Amino acid sequence: MKARKLLLATTLALVMAVGTACGSDKADDKAVRSDGSIDLSQVTLHAGDQKGTGLQALLTAAGELNNTPYKITWSQYQSGPPMLEAINAGAVDIGGVGNAPPVFAAAAKSAIKIVNGYQGGTEGQAIVVPKDSPLRTPEDLRGKKIAVAKGSSAHHHLLAVLNKAGIKWDQVEPQYLQPPDALAALTTGRVDAWAIWDPYTAQAEQQSNARILVSGTGYVAGDAFFVAGTKALESKATSAALRDLIARIGRAHNWVNDHPEEWAKTYAELTGLPYDVILTVVKRGRYQNHPLDPAAIAAEQDVADAFAGAGLIPGKVNITDFTDTRFNDLFPAS
């Protein structure tokens, strides 16, 4: 209970998006001038955020939220899948997630498109266990209870680790829990291991005496994505604002790479997470912006095929059908 309260106390307050859809059609009515140009001051973007990406904090720290020509509202989520549900419903226009949530959303035929990709390192993607756990290798996970957020990047990492260790999915007992409940389950012994991502990984290590059994290095590509709703992309005004926001995100990533200590300090202040936790996260990997090129799409297709092969999604998903490359020019291949 103490661990759960600690995690909840350091988590940004959840502000779930409610009400009707974002009204992209109305945005066009107000923002598109008679000559076809866009008045971005008439646009409001509805952005999703989660503790693992800290998008609002990132943009704030880098100064990229200063003088945006449009308004932004923010909704906070514990993980990617519920955020994509909100995007599918039209309550949110865009949000950042790991590699698995778009696959599950696509399998559900959600109205979403992957619009931007980047890498942020693989060390913070981890399966953690209590420090004194007898589990020492991935092979030791056979038959164990493992906490994981269903449809999250940690779900894919866990699947990849099990596959490489020769363990079938039905040979473990997955416990589908959101991060606060998962940490409580780990610290009270109700689960044997927890598949998770940073900053929760660093928090578990530093505040709950957990250790990393196996990281994502060698198991996952480390790709993360920004996903937008198809209705938002169909709106000329909203898509223009999305283009500007995605460019700002790319610049913010570059700023973090050049100012890791400053970013860690600001992120800690904005979220309430300890500075040492955030600094650990920042030092684990640099941001690498990249276009949604054939290699990135193929890597995400591999993720989809892995879930389909394990019977965790209903049938094959074609990732290309859920990808929009119109913003690739913002991040040309290096």
Side-chain angles (χ1 to χ4, degrees), residues 165-177:
I167 303 172
K168 295 182 178 179
W169 187 255
D170 61 7
Q171 292 178 312
V172 298
E173 296 184 46
Q175 308 294 303
Y176 292 123
L177 300 171

Side-chain angles (χ1 to χ4, degrees), residues 139-207:
E139 288 74 16
D140 294 333
L141 292 171
R142 191 186 307 272
K144 303 305 180 184
K145 292 182 178 180
I146 308 170
V148 64
K150 187 174 184 178
S152 67
S153 60
H155 198 176
H156 174 250
H157 176 219
L158 174 59
L159 178 62
V161 169
L162 295 178
N163 285 343
K164 196 168 184 177
I167 303 172
K168 295 182 178 179
W169 187 255
D170 61 7
Q171 292 178 312
V172 298
E173 296 184 46
Q175 308 294 303
Y176 292 123
L177 300 171
Q178 288 296 315
D181 295 324
L183 178 62
L186 183 74
T187 55
T188 57
R190 289 187 286 116
V191 297
D192 302 294
W194 180 22
I196 194 56
W197 58 88
D198 265 335
Y200 297 108
T201 301
Q203 193 171 8
E205 287 180 284
Q206 296 187 23
Q207 299 180 341

